[in-house]
Amino acid sequence: MYELNESSFDPITFVLTGIPGMEESHIWISVPFCLMYIIAVFGNSVLLFVIIMERSLHEPMYLFLAMLAVSDLMLSTTTVPKMLAIFWFSAREISFDACITQMFFTHFSFIVESSVLLAMAFDRYVAVCDPLRYSSTLTPSVIGKIAVTAIVRGFCIMFPPIFLLKRLPYCGHNVMPHTYCEHMGIARLACADIKANVWYGLTTALLSSGLDVVLIAVSYALILRTVFRLPSPEARLKTLSTCGSHLCVILMFYMPAFFSFLTHRFGHHIPSHVHILLANLYVVVPPMLNPIVYGVRTRQIRERVVRLFCPAGECPCPGGGSRC
C-alpha cells in the first residue's frame, strides 16, 4: 500500500480513509456534499461573472465580494473533489507531495478568506462611521493593495509548515482518518516530536484568523455605537441592513471553522466522525451559502443575476412588477 524512502522513511503515499466508522454510508453522505459543491461552484462563478461584467458593480463592497468568491472556489475545489473520489471510487491514496500541496491551498484559501472578511468589515466601518471619506479611503489602488496583502499573508503563514512537515520522519505511518490533508493530520502521523508543528499551528491560528475575529468585532462595535446615535429607528434599521449580509457570512465562516479547530486540539472525547464531518462542512457550506446570502439580500446583485438568466425585457425585476 505504501513504499518507504530509504533515508527518512517518509511515505511516498498517504491513505485517506474518509469518515471513520461511517464507511458504509459514504455513498449516501456524498450526495449532499456533491450537491453543495455544485451549488458553491455555480453560485460563486455566477457572482464573479456578474461583478466582472457589470461596471456599475466595480465598487469596493462588490470587489471584496469577488475576492470572497475566488477564495470560496479555491477552498471548496481544493478539498471536495478528492473527498467525492474517496466516497465514490475508494480513491484513498494520495502522494506525499500532493498531500502537502492540498494542505497548503486548503489553509491558504482559509486565511485569504478570513483576510477578505476583515477587509469587508473595514469597508462597512468606513461606509457607516465616515461616509464622506468612503470614496477617498477605499480607492482602487487601496483595494488592490488589500488583495495583494491577503495573498502574501496567506503565503507567508503557510510556507513554513511545508518544511515543518517535510523534516519529520514518518516510519511508514501513512493512514490518515480524514477526507483531505491538513497540517496537524499529517503531523500526527510522524514518529517524532511535533511540538513545533503544534505551537506553530496554534500561534498562527490565533494571530491570523483569531486576530481577524477580534478586529471584526471591534469594527462592528464602532458601527453599532454610530448606529445607536442616529436620530430615528428607520435610519438605524436601514444602516444595520447594509451590514446584515456580511454578519451572516462571518457567522457561517468562523463558527464551524473554530469549532472544528478547537475540537481537533482539545475535544478528545468527541467522536472522530463528528470532527471529520464538521471539517468537511466548513469547506463546503460557507462557499455554498455566501453567494446565496449576498444574492438574496443585495438588490443590485439580484437584479443583475436576473438580467443574466432572462432575456432583456421579458423578466419582472425582483421586488416589483416592472420589466428589467
Side-chain angles (χ1 to χ4, degrees), residues 211-271:
L211 181 61
D212 291 348
V213 169
V214 171
L215 294 174
I216 289 170
V218 169
S219 71
Y220 270 97
L222 295 172
I223 288 170
L224 288 173
R225 187 184 67 174
T226 302
V227 167
F228 288 128
R229 287 178 177 175
L230 294 174
S232 67
E234 293 81 9
R236 293 173 197 164
L237 243 119
K238 185 178 178 182
T239 306
L240 283 174
S241 68
T242 64
C243 305
S245 300
H246 186 233
L247 280 172
C248 290
V249 168
I250 287 170
L251 291 173
M252 290 186 303
F253 180 73
Y254 285 114
M255 285 181 66
F258 276 117
F259 188 76
S260 177
F261 174 82
L262 292 172
T263 55
H264 195 70
R265 282 162 173 77
F266 308 112
H268 303 297
H269 300 296
I270 296 176

Side-chain angles (χ1 to χ4, degrees), residues 8-10 168-173 186-194:
S8 62
F9 294 95
D10 291 344
L168 293 171
Y170 293 90
C171 308
H173 302 155
I186 301 172
R188 285 199 172 96
L189 296 178
C191 52
D193 187 11
I194 60 168

